[in-house]
Amino acid sequence: NLKDKEVKEVPMVYSGIERFFLLDKERVDFTDPDDINPNLFESYKKDVEFTMTLNGSLFRLDYIKKWLFPYRPDQKVYGKWDWGKLAEKVHAYGLDKNFVKRGMTEMEDVMWRTKYTFVVPADKSTTNFVTQKVYSMLYYGIIPFWDKNAYDTDNYYTDIPDYVKVETPEELWEKIDFLNNHPDEYKKLLKQCYDALKPKYFTTEYIHEVFDCIFKK
């Protein structure tokens, strides 16, 4: 009888496994926004202001309706947004033209060219939950802003500059406008983001750092 069974809480410990996205990738130097060379055949410059890659949910739709579209009404959002009630709500808001069904791996050329993004929380009930999104954006040299009251509220990301952690949509876009108008400050922040990508994240050294202490126990 399930009613008679004791339910024990499973302890959860943050260990940074979302950084595993970087394993076996090359740490590409993106500190010169006019000359980024991720491979032998192509080079890029940061000439796309903002890109958002995000699969949809009703919560996320209302979130970006507040944080994104009032400030950049023509902004495209790439991902899966064409299902059920979500598609109906997108249409009701008149935002059909803003959503493009295209995955991040299908648009790496755009990612390397992008300057900024905004990381949307998974759900309003999981404010301390983090995903690989921050580090996958950093990999492409994209500065990832987020709402510090709704994402990473336990402040795991201490190596990433506090500048990217904002409280309101107005603060987000004021900071982006400031960086657009002050290229030296943009380059300084870009270098800080590059430094947050520790070389160990790209090798098995980091796997051992995360799991060895667990296995020893």
Side-chain angles (χ1 to χ4, degrees), residues 43-57:
S43 62
Y44 300 100
K45 62 171 56 182
K46 293 292 187 183
D47 57 3
V48 175
E49 180 192 49
F50 190 94
T51 297
M52 179 170 280
T53 57
L54 182 71
N55 288 329
S57 71

PDB file of all heavy atoms in Angstrom, residues 43-57:
ATOM      1  N   SER A  43      35.605  32.943 -40.665  1.00  0.00           N
ATOM      2  CA  SER A  43      35.811  33.880 -39.564  1.00  0.00           C
ATOM      3  C   SER A  43      34.578  34.773 -39.479  1.00  0.00           C
ATOM      4  O   SER A  43      33.876  34.982 -40.479  1.00  0.00           O
ATOM      5  CB  SER A  43      37.073  34.715 -39.776  1.00  0.00           C
ATOM      6  OG  SER A  43      36.956  35.495 -40.949  1.00  0.00           O
ATOM      7  N   TYR A  44      34.327  35.267 -38.282  1.00  0.00           N
ATOM      8  CA  TYR A  44      33.101  36.034 -38.052  1.00  0.00           C
ATOM      9  C   TYR A  44      33.411  37.313 -37.289  1.00  0.00           C
ATOM     10  O   TYR A  44      34.431  37.422 -36.608  1.00  0.00           O
ATOM     11  CB  TYR A  44      32.103  35.214 -37.230  1.00  0.00           C
ATOM     12  CG  TYR A  44      31.686  33.918 -37.874  1.00  0.00           C
ATOM     13  CD1 TYR A  44      32.274  32.713 -37.483  1.00  0.00           C
ATOM     14  CD2 TYR A  44      30.709  33.882 -38.867  1.00  0.00           C
ATOM     15  CE1 TYR A  44      31.898  31.513 -38.071  1.00  0.00           C
ATOM     16  CE2 TYR A  44      30.326  32.693 -39.452  1.00  0.00           C
ATOM     17  CZ  TYR A  44      30.919  31.509 -39.054  1.00  0.00           C
ATOM     18  OH  TYR A  44      30.554  30.320 -39.634  1.00  0.00           O
ATOM     19  N   LYS A  45      32.476  38.251 -37.405  1.00  0.00           N
ATOM     20  CA  LYS A  45      32.513  39.426 -36.542  1.00  0.00           C
ATOM     21  C   LYS A  45      31.151  39.554 -35.868  1.00  0.00           C
ATOM     22  O   LYS A  45      30.126  39.092 -36.400  1.00  0.00           O
ATOM     23  CB  LYS A  45      32.855  40.682 -37.311  1.00  0.00           C
ATOM     24  CG  LYS A  45      31.881  41.074 -38.397  1.00  0.00           C
ATOM     25  CD  LYS A  45      32.191  42.475 -38.965  1.00  0.00           C
ATOM     26  CE  LYS A  45      33.602  42.569 -39.462  1.00  0.00           C
ATOM     27  NZ  LYS A  45      33.913  43.933 -39.977  1.00  0.00           N
ATOM     28  N   LYS A  46      31.120  40.197 -34.715  1.00  0.00           N
ATOM     29  CA  LYS A  46      29.887  40.336 -33.946  1.00  0.00           C
ATOM     30  C   LYS A  46      29.040  41.464 -34.538  1.00  0.00           C
ATOM     31  O   LYS A  46      29.128  42.618 -34.122  1.00  0.00           O
ATOM     32  CB  LYS A  46      30.219  40.618 -32.474  1.00  0.00           C
ATOM     33  CG  LYS A  46      30.901  39.469 -31.749  1.00  0.00           C
ATOM     34  CD  LYS A  46      29.966  38.295 -31.561  1.00  0.00           C
ATOM     35  CE  LYS A  46      30.570  37.206 -30.705  1.00  0.00           C
ATOM     36  NZ  LYS A  46      29.696  36.031 -30.571  1.00  0.00           N
ATOM     37  N   ASP A  47      28.191  41.101 -35.500  1.00  0.00           N
ATOM     38  CA  ASP A  47      27.372  42.109 -36.165  1.00  0.00           C
ATOM     39  C   ASP A  47      25.871  41.829 -36.027  1.00  0.00           C
ATOM     40  O   ASP A  47      25.056  42.476 -36.686  1.00  0.00           O
ATOM     41  CB  ASP A  47      27.762  42.222 -37.642  1.00  0.00           C
ATOM     42  CG  ASP A  47      27.662  40.895 -38.394  1.00  0.00           C
ATOM     43  OD1 ASP A  47      27.223  39.881 -37.782  1.00  0.00           O
ATOM     44  OD2 ASP A  47      28.020  40.855 -39.586  1.00  0.00           O
ATOM     45  N   VAL A  48      25.497  40.863 -35.159  1.00  0.00           N
ATOM     46  CA  VAL A  48      24.086  40.603 -34.851  1.00  0.00           C
ATOM     47  C   VAL A  48      23.876  40.981 -33.384  1.00  0.00           C
ATOM     48  O   VAL A  48      24.528  40.421 -32.503  1.00  0.00           O
ATOM     49  CB  VAL A  48      23.720  39.122 -35.073  1.00  0.00           C
ATOM     50  CG1 VAL A  48      22.287  38.848 -34.637  1.00  0.00           C
ATOM     51  CG2 VAL A  48      23.919  38.747 -36.540  1.00  0.00           C
ATOM     52  N   GLU A  49      22.990  41.927 -33.146  1.00  0.00           N
ATOM     53  CA  GLU A  49      22.851  42.422 -31.767  1.00  0.00           C
ATOM     54  C   GLU A  49      22.375  41.347 -30.794  1.00  0.00           C
ATOM     55  O   GLU A  49      22.964  41.157 -29.722  1.00  0.00           O
ATOM     56  CB  GLU A  49      21.876  43.600 -31.713  1.00  0.00           C
ATOM     57  CG  GLU A  49      21.726  44.134 -30.285  1.00  0.00           C
ATOM     58  CD  GLU A  49      20.562  45.095 -30.106  1.00  0.00           C
ATOM     59  OE1 GLU A  49      19.429  44.773 -30.544  1.00  0.00           O
ATOM     60  OE2 GLU A  49      20.777  46.157 -29.514  1.00  0.00           O
ATOM     61  N   PHE A  50      21.316  40.627 -31.153  1.00  0.00           N
ATOM     62  CA  PHE A  50      20.632  39.793 -30.160  1.00  0.00           C
ATOM     63  C   PHE A  50      20.037  38.573 -30.848  1.00  0.00           C
ATOM     64  O   PHE A  50      19.420  38.687 -31.908  1.00  0.00           O
ATOM     65  CB  PHE A  50      19.517  40.610 -29.496  1.00  0.00           C
ATOM     66  CG  PHE A  50      18.871  39.970 -28.303  1.00  0.00           C
ATOM     67  CD1 PHE A  50      19.312  40.246 -27.022  1.00  0.00           C
ATOM     68  CD2 PHE A  50      17.807  39.099 -28.454  1.00  0.00           C
ATOM     69  CE1 PHE A  50      18.712  39.660 -25.911  1.00  0.00           C
ATOM     70  CE2 PHE A  50      17.194  38.505 -27.358  1.00  0.00           C
ATOM     71  CZ  PHE A  50      17.646  38.796 -26.075  1.00  0.00           C
ATOM     72  N   THR A  51      20.238  37.411 -30.252  1.00  0.00           N
ATOM     73  CA  THR A  51      19.617  36.188 -30.748  1.00  0.00           C
ATOM     74  C   THR A  51      19.057  35.415 -29.561  1.00  0.00           C
ATOM     75  O   THR A  51      19.707  35.339 -28.521  1.00  0.00           O
ATOM     76  CB  THR A  51      20.626  35.304 -31.504  1.00  0.00           C
ATOM     77  OG1 THR A  51      21.100  36.014 -32.661  1.00  0.00           O
ATOM     78  CG2 THR A  51      19.996  33.998 -31.956  1.00  0.00           C
ATOM     79  N   MET A  52      17.867  34.850 -29.729  1.00  0.00           N
ATOM     80  CA  MET A  52      17.295  34.009 -28.682  1.00  0.00           C
ATOM     81  C   MET A  52      16.943  32.657 -29.277  1.00  0.00           C
ATOM     82  O   MET A  52      16.175  32.562 -30.238  1.00  0.00           O
ATOM     83  CB  MET A  52      16.052  34.649 -28.061  1.00  0.00           C
ATOM     84  CG  MET A  52      15.405  33.784 -26.981  1.00  0.00           C
ATOM     85  SD  MET A  52      14.112  34.654 -26.043  1.00  0.00           S
ATOM     86  CE  MET A  52      15.125  35.598 -24.911  1.00  0.00           C
ATOM     87  N   THR A  53      17.527  31.597 -28.716  1.00  0.00           N
ATOM     88  CA  THR A  53      17.165  30.223 -29.079  1.00  0.00           C
ATOM     89  C   THR A  53      16.500  29.608 -27.862  1.00  0.00           C
ATOM     90  O   THR A  53      17.106  29.481 -26.802  1.00  0.00           O
ATOM     91  CB  THR A  53      18.415  29.413 -29.461  1.00  0.00           C
ATOM     92  OG1 THR A  53      19.364  29.427 -28.382  1.00  0.00           O
ATOM     93  CG2 THR A  53      19.067  30.001 -30.695  1.00  0.00           C
ATOM     94  N   LEU A  54      15.242  29.212 -28.020  1.00  0.00           N
ATOM     95  CA  LEU A  54      14.455  28.819 -26.846  1.00  0.00           C
ATOM     96  C   LEU A  54      13.243  28.025 -27.287  1.00  0.00           C
ATOM     97  O   LEU A  54      12.450  28.496 -28.098  1.00  0.00           O
ATOM     98  CB  LEU A  54      13.992  30.089 -26.111  1.00  0.00           C
ATOM     99  CG  LEU A  54      13.205  29.918 -24.826  1.00  0.00           C
ATOM    100  CD1 LEU A  54      14.102  29.407 -23.701  1.00  0.00           C
ATOM    101  CD2 LEU A  54      12.571  31.252 -24.413  1.00  0.00           C
ATOM    102  N   ASN A  55      13.097  26.818 -26.763  1.00  0.00           N
ATOM    103  CA  ASN A  55      11.879  26.059 -27.016  1.00  0.00           C
ATOM    104  C   ASN A  55      10.754  26.585 -26.127  1.00  0.00           C
ATOM    105  O   ASN A  55      10.985  27.020 -25.002  1.00  0.00           O
ATOM    106  CB  ASN A  55      12.113  24.567 -26.772  1.00  0.00           C
ATOM    107  CG  ASN A  55      12.971  23.947 -27.853  1.00  0.00           C
ATOM    108  OD1 ASN A  55      12.941  24.375 -29.011  1.00  0.00           O
ATOM    109  ND2 ASN A  55      13.743  22.938 -27.495  1.00  0.00           N
ATOM    110  N   GLY A  56       9.533  26.502 -26.635  1.00  0.00           N
ATOM    111  CA  GLY A  56       8.432  27.223 -26.025  1.00  0.00           C
ATOM    112  C   GLY A  56       7.684  26.517 -24.917  1.00  0.00           C
ATOM    113  O   GLY A  56       7.642  25.291 -24.829  1.00  0.00           O
ATOM    114  N   SER A  57       7.080  27.344 -24.059  1.00  0.00           N
ATOM    115  CA  SER A  57       6.089  26.923 -23.074  1.00  0.00           C
ATOM    116  C   SER A  57       5.216  28.140 -22.820  1.00  0.00           C
ATOM    117  O   SER A  57       5.588  29.269 -23.156  1.00  0.00           O
ATOM    118  CB  SER A  57       6.753  26.453 -21.774  1.00  0.00           C
ATOM    119  OG  SER A  57       7.307  27.551 -21.063  1.00  0.00           O
TER     120      SER A  57
END
